[in-house]
Amino acid sequence: RWRADAVLVWLELVMHMSQYNKECAENIKSGKVRLLSICLLVIELDLDNVLLGLSLGELEKCLNIENVLHRRKLWLGIEEFRNPACTVANMSAAGQLDHWWVCEQWLRDVGLTQYASRFREHLIDGRTLCSLTRKDLDRHLGMEGKKTHQDSALRGIELLRMLSFNTQRLDERRQMCQSCDADLLVWNNARLVQWAKSIDLKEYSSNLRDSGVHGALIVFDTTFTSDDMANALGIPVNKATVRRHLASEFDSLVK
Protein backbone atom coordinates (compact mmCIF):
# COMPACT_ATOMS: atom_id res chain seq x y z
CA ARG A 1 0.00 0.00 0.00
CA TRP A 2 2.99 2.30 0.28
CA ARG A 3 3.37 4.98 -2.33
CA ALA A 4 6.80 5.68 -3.77
CA ASP A 5 7.36 8.73 -1.56
CA ALA A 6 6.58 6.65 1.54
CA VAL A 7 9.17 4.10 0.47
CA LEU A 8 11.77 6.87 0.12
CA VAL A 9 10.92 8.22 3.58
CA TRP A 10 11.29 4.70 5.04
CA LEU A 11 14.61 4.23 3.27
CA GLU A 12 15.96 7.52 4.61
CA LEU A 13 14.49 7.88 8.11
CA VAL A 14 14.09 4.27 9.22
CA MET A 15 16.88 2.50 7.36
CA HIS A 16 19.25 5.52 7.23
CA MET A 17 20.18 4.65 3.64
CA SER A 18 19.41 7.94 1.89
CA GLN A 19 22.40 7.50 -0.42
CA TYR A 20 20.25 5.08 -2.42
CA ASN A 21 17.22 7.39 -2.73
CA LYS A 22 18.06 8.39 -6.31
CA GLU A 23 18.19 4.81 -7.59
CA CYS A 24 15.12 3.92 -5.56
CA ALA A 25 13.14 6.85 -6.97
CA GLU A 26 14.10 5.87 -10.50
CA ASN A 27 12.89 2.31 -10.01
CA ILE A 28 9.72 2.95 -8.02
CA LYS A 29 6.78 4.72 -9.63
CA SER A 30 4.24 6.44 -7.42
CA GLY A 31 1.12 4.38 -6.89
CA LYS A 32 2.51 1.36 -8.70
CA VAL A 33 3.96 -0.53 -5.74
CA ARG A 34 1.14 -2.85 -4.74
CA LEU A 35 2.92 -5.07 -2.22
CA LEU A 36 5.61 -4.60 0.37
CA SER A 37 7.45 -7.79 -0.40
CA ILE A 38 11.05 -8.93 -0.54
CA CYS A 39 11.65 -5.94 -2.80
CA LEU A 40 9.67 -2.74 -3.18
CA LEU A 41 10.57 -2.21 -6.83
CA VAL A 42 8.53 -1.97 -10.01
CA ILE A 43 10.09 -2.39 -13.44
CA GLU A 44 9.38 0.76 -15.41
CA LEU A 45 8.80 -1.14 -18.66
CA ASP A 46 5.96 -3.20 -17.17
CA LEU A 47 3.79 -1.40 -14.63
CA ASP A 48 2.14 -4.66 -13.56
CA ASN A 49 5.41 -6.43 -12.86
CA VAL A 50 6.10 -6.43 -9.10
CA LEU A 51 9.25 -8.35 -8.22
CA LEU A 52 8.30 -10.53 -5.27
CA GLY A 53 11.49 -12.53 -5.14
CA LEU A 54 14.32 -10.16 -5.87
CA SER A 55 17.66 -11.66 -4.86
CA LEU A 56 20.52 -9.88 -3.14
CA GLY A 57 22.32 -9.83 -6.48
CA GLU A 58 19.35 -8.16 -8.14
CA LEU A 59 19.25 -5.60 -5.35
CA GLU A 60 22.78 -4.65 -6.34
CA LYS A 61 21.75 -4.30 -9.97
CA CYS A 62 18.51 -2.36 -9.42
CA LEU A 63 19.63 -0.02 -6.63
CA ASN A 64 23.36 -0.01 -7.39
CA ILE A 65 24.17 -1.31 -3.90
CA GLU A 66 27.68 -2.70 -4.12
CA ASN A 67 28.24 -2.96 -0.36
CA VAL A 68 27.45 -6.53 0.70
CA LEU A 69 26.30 -5.57 4.19
CA HIS A 70 24.16 -2.69 2.89
CA ARG A 71 22.36 -5.17 0.64
CA ARG A 72 21.84 -7.52 3.56
CA LYS A 73 20.59 -4.71 5.78
CA LEU A 74 18.01 -3.62 3.21
CA TRP A 75 16.94 -7.18 2.49
CA LEU A 76 16.47 -7.93 6.21
CA GLY A 77 14.49 -4.73 6.71
CA ILE A 78 12.19 -5.45 3.77
CA GLU A 79 11.81 -9.06 4.87
CA GLU A 80 10.46 -7.90 8.23
CA PHE A 81 8.03 -5.49 6.59
CA ARG A 82 6.60 -8.21 4.38
CA ASN A 83 4.23 -8.87 7.27
CA PRO A 84 1.24 -6.53 6.65
CA ALA A 85 0.88 -6.06 10.40
CA CYS A 86 4.41 -4.69 10.74
CA THR A 87 4.76 -0.92 11.11
CA VAL A 88 7.55 1.38 12.14
CA ALA A 89 5.91 1.54 15.58
CA ASN A 90 5.91 -2.21 16.19
CA MET A 91 9.11 -3.39 14.55
CA SER A 92 11.06 -6.22 16.13
CA ALA A 93 13.37 -5.32 19.01
CA ALA A 94 16.39 -5.81 16.74
CA GLY A 95 14.77 -3.64 14.08
CA GLN A 96 14.43 -0.77 16.52
CA LEU A 97 18.19 -0.61 17.05
CA ASP A 98 19.76 1.61 14.41
CA HIS A 99 23.40 1.71 13.38
CA TRP A 100 24.07 4.64 15.70
CA TRP A 101 23.11 2.51 18.71
CA VAL A 102 25.35 -0.31 17.51
CA CYS A 103 28.32 1.99 16.88
CA GLU A 104 27.99 4.27 19.90
CA GLN A 105 26.55 1.95 22.57
CA TRP A 106 27.02 -1.72 21.73
CA LEU A 107 30.64 -1.50 20.61
CA ARG A 108 31.48 0.40 23.79
CA ASP A 109 29.71 -2.24 25.88
CA VAL A 110 31.76 -5.07 24.36
CA GLY A 111 35.00 -3.05 24.43
CA LEU A 112 35.52 -2.77 20.68
CA THR A 113 35.12 0.95 20.00
CA GLN A 114 38.15 0.91 17.69
CA TYR A 115 35.89 -0.67 15.06
CA ALA A 116 33.18 2.00 15.24
CA SER A 117 34.14 3.64 11.94
CA ARG A 118 33.92 0.31 10.09
CA PHE A 119 30.55 -0.55 11.60
CA ARG A 120 29.33 2.96 10.79
CA GLU A 121 30.56 2.67 7.21
CA HIS A 122 28.58 -0.55 6.77
CA LEU A 123 25.50 0.85 8.58
CA ILE A 124 25.29 -2.15 10.91
CA ASP A 125 21.92 -1.98 12.65
CA GLY A 126 20.29 -4.47 15.03
CA ARG A 127 19.01 -6.83 12.35
CA THR A 128 22.33 -6.88 10.51
CA LEU A 129 24.23 -7.27 13.78
CA CYS A 130 22.18 -10.37 14.56
CA SER A 131 23.16 -11.86 11.18
CA LEU A 132 26.92 -11.31 11.45
CA THR A 133 29.27 -14.27 11.19
CA ARG A 134 32.95 -14.70 11.93
CA LYS A 135 33.60 -14.39 8.19
CA ASP A 136 31.77 -11.04 8.07
CA LEU A 137 33.86 -9.71 10.96
CA ASP A 138 37.05 -10.90 9.31
CA ARG A 139 36.33 -9.72 5.77
CA HIS A 140 34.32 -6.56 6.17
CA LEU A 141 34.58 -5.11 9.67
CA GLY A 142 38.32 -4.80 10.26
CA MET A 143 38.89 -7.84 12.46
CA GLU A 144 41.11 -9.73 10.03
CA GLY A 145 42.84 -12.53 11.90
CA LYS A 146 41.85 -11.09 15.30
CA LYS A 147 40.15 -14.13 16.78
CA THR A 148 39.87 -12.68 20.28
CA HIS A 149 37.98 -9.64 19.01
CA GLN A 150 35.83 -11.80 16.76
CA ASP A 151 34.96 -13.99 19.76
CA SER A 152 34.12 -10.87 21.75
CA ALA A 153 31.70 -9.58 19.10
CA LEU A 154 30.06 -12.96 18.56
CA ARG A 155 29.57 -13.50 22.30
CA GLY A 156 28.09 -10.02 22.60
CA ILE A 157 25.64 -10.85 19.81
CA GLU A 158 24.84 -14.15 21.52
CA LEU A 159 23.84 -12.26 24.67
CA LEU A 160 21.52 -9.97 22.68
CA ARG A 161 19.92 -12.98 21.01
CA MET A 162 19.42 -14.66 24.38
CA LEU A 163 17.54 -11.57 25.58
CA SER A 164 15.66 -11.26 22.26
CA PHE A 165 17.41 -7.90 21.73
CA ASN A 166 15.47 -6.45 24.66
CA THR A 167 17.92 -3.70 25.59
CA GLN A 168 15.65 -2.32 28.31
CA ARG A 169 15.82 -5.64 30.14
CA LEU A 170 19.58 -5.72 29.63
CA ASP A 171 19.98 -2.22 31.05
CA GLU A 172 17.82 -3.11 34.07
CA ARG A 173 19.95 -6.14 34.87
CA ARG A 174 23.11 -4.07 34.55
CA GLN A 175 21.75 -1.46 36.91
CA MET A 176 20.96 -4.13 39.50
CA CYS A 177 24.58 -5.36 39.58
CA GLN A 178 26.28 -1.99 39.31
CA SER A 179 27.25 -2.00 42.98
CA CYS A 180 27.51 -5.75 43.60
CA ASP A 181 29.58 -8.45 41.95
CA ALA A 182 26.70 -10.52 40.55
CA ASP A 183 25.17 -11.42 37.17
CA LEU A 184 28.52 -11.40 35.38
CA LEU A 185 26.83 -12.39 32.12
CA VAL A 186 25.48 -8.87 31.52
CA TRP A 187 28.56 -6.92 32.60
CA ASN A 188 29.85 -4.56 29.96
CA ASN A 189 33.46 -3.59 29.46
CA ALA A 190 33.16 -0.54 31.73
CA ARG A 191 31.80 -2.66 34.59
CA LEU A 192 34.85 -4.93 34.34
CA VAL A 193 37.13 -1.89 34.49
CA GLN A 194 35.29 -0.86 37.66
CA TRP A 195 35.73 -4.39 39.08
CA ALA A 196 39.48 -4.36 38.34
CA LYS A 197 39.81 -1.13 40.28
CA SER A 198 37.84 -2.58 43.19
CA ILE A 199 40.31 -5.48 43.57
CA ASP A 200 43.31 -3.15 43.78
CA LEU A 201 44.36 -3.40 40.14
CA LYS A 202 43.68 0.23 39.27
CA GLU A 203 47.05 0.69 37.58
CA TYR A 204 46.14 -1.98 35.04
CA SER A 205 42.38 -1.38 34.76
CA SER A 206 42.53 1.10 31.87
CA ASN A 207 44.12 -1.59 29.69
CA LEU A 208 40.76 -3.37 29.59
CA ARG A 209 39.25 -0.61 27.49
CA ASP A 210 39.06 -1.66 23.84
CA SER A 211 40.30 -5.12 24.83
CA GLY A 212 37.05 -6.81 23.81
CA VAL A 213 36.60 -8.30 27.29
CA HIS A 214 33.07 -8.25 28.72
CA GLY A 215 30.90 -10.47 30.87
CA ALA A 216 29.25 -12.49 28.12
CA LEU A 217 32.66 -13.39 26.68
CA ILE A 218 33.83 -14.69 30.07
CA VAL A 219 30.64 -16.65 30.76
CA PHE A 220 29.95 -18.09 27.31
CA ASP A 221 33.58 -18.88 26.47
CA THR A 222 34.50 -21.59 28.95
CA THR A 223 38.11 -21.50 27.73
CA PHE A 224 38.55 -17.92 28.98
CA THR A 225 40.78 -18.07 32.07
CA SER A 226 42.38 -15.77 34.61
CA ASP A 227 45.51 -15.81 32.43
CA ASP A 228 43.48 -14.34 29.56
CA MET A 229 42.20 -11.67 31.91
CA ALA A 230 45.75 -10.97 33.13
CA ASN A 231 46.92 -10.58 29.54
CA ALA A 232 44.02 -8.23 28.78
CA LEU A 233 44.95 -6.18 31.83
CA GLY A 234 48.56 -6.08 30.68
CA ILE A 235 49.95 -7.65 33.85
CA PRO A 236 53.52 -8.82 33.11
CA VAL A 237 54.22 -12.54 33.41
CA ASN A 238 56.92 -11.85 35.98
CA LYS A 239 54.35 -10.24 38.32
CA ALA A 240 53.49 -13.64 39.77
CA THR A 241 51.99 -12.31 43.00
CA VAL A 242 49.69 -9.91 41.17
CA ARG A 243 48.61 -12.66 38.79
CA ARG A 244 47.83 -15.02 41.68
CA HIS A 245 45.76 -12.29 43.32
CA LEU A 246 43.85 -11.77 40.08
CA ALA A 247 43.31 -15.53 39.63
CA SER A 248 41.76 -15.78 43.08
CA GLU A 249 39.43 -12.81 42.52
CA PHE A 250 38.57 -13.94 38.99
CA ASP A 251 37.62 -17.46 40.10
CA SER A 252 35.39 -16.03 42.83
CA LEU A 253 33.71 -13.74 40.33
CA VAL A 254 33.03 -16.49 37.79
CA LYS A 255 31.76 -18.92 40.40
Side-chain angles (χ1 to χ4, degrees), residues 202-238:
K202 183 177 180 179
E203 64 180 295
Y204 302 105
S205 61
S206 62
N207 293 330
L208 279 181
R209 296 191 180 94
D210 294 335
S211 66
V213 178
H214 54 92
L217 174 67
I218 297 171
V219 173
F220 287 140
D221 186 353
T222 56
T223 66
F224 193 95
T225 67
S226 61
D227 285 334
D228 295 312
M229 178 62 80
N231 292 334
L233 283 164
I235 301 175
V237 177
N238 61 358

Side-chain angles (χ1 to χ4, degrees), residues 131-173:
S131 77
L132 292 180
T133 64
R134 189 177 296 276
K135 183 183 292 185
D136 293 326
L137 297 170
D138 188 80
R139 289 186 176 181
H140 306 298
L141 295 169
M143 301 185 195
E144 299 91 346
K146 299 176 182 177
K147 184 179 181 301
T148 302
H149 288 178
Q150 293 171 15
D151 289 342
S152 171
L154 293 173
R155 296 305 188 181
I157 294 169
E158 186 177 350
L159 173 62
L160 288 175
R161 286 200 192 107
M162 192 186 81
L163 297 175
S164 301
F165 279 77
N166 187 334
T167 56
Q168 180 178 347
R169 182 183 173 197
L170 178 60
D171 289 341
E172 289 172 352
R173 286 179 60 173

